[in-house]
């Protein structure tokens, strides 16, 4: 009887842990999307190249300086890069 109670507890814990990860993932994606969208507005409708997407993902990790330098290396103005990288980790 104790074994089934223990298994039920473990399964409940796993469900809660995996459910929490599922809720966190869309938020992270939305933050990267906000960064990319700010850059695309500067590009006036053009799609952001892969270098911009990668810089925004770096910004998601909290490395603001590397995010900004990655965006400016890709031709984004410094002001847009700073504001786009600011929204990435939020």
């Amino acid at each position: 009887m104790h074994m089934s109670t223990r298994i039920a507890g473990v399964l409940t814990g796993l469900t809660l842990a995996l459910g929490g990860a599922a809720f966190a993932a869309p938020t992270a994606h939305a933050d990267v999307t906000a960064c990319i969208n700010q850059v695309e507005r500067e590009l006036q409708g053009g799609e952001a190249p892969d270098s911009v997407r990668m810089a925004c993902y770096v910004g998601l990790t909290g490395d603001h300086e590397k995010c900004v330098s990655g965006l400016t290396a890709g031709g984004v103005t410094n002001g847009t890069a700073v504001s786009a990288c600011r929204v990435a980790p939020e």
Side-chain angles (χ1 to χ4, degrees):
M1 192 72 153
H2 293 296
M3 185 62 121
S4 63
T5 304
R6 199 172 308 156
I7 290 172
V10 168
L11 290 176
T12 301
L14 284 174
T15 302
L16 291 173
L18 293 175
F23 285 119
T27 303
H29 178 71
D31 296 336
V32 170
T33 302
C35 174
I36 294 168
N37 286 342
Q38 283 197 13
V39 173
E40 286 179 341
R41 278 193 292 273
E42 180 178 301
L43 299 174
Q44 297 177 351
E47 187 174 334
D50 288 339
S51 61
V52 167
R53 295 175 187 282
M54 289 307 297
C56 285
Y57 279 109
V58 168
L60 179 66
T61 67
D63 192 344
H64 184 77
E65 296 294 322
K66 195 168 185 180
C67 176
V68 171
S69 66
L71 289 178
T72 55
V76 177
T77 63
N78 190 62
T80 298
V82 169
S83 65
C85 291
R86 190 175 298 133
V87 300
E90 291 181 355

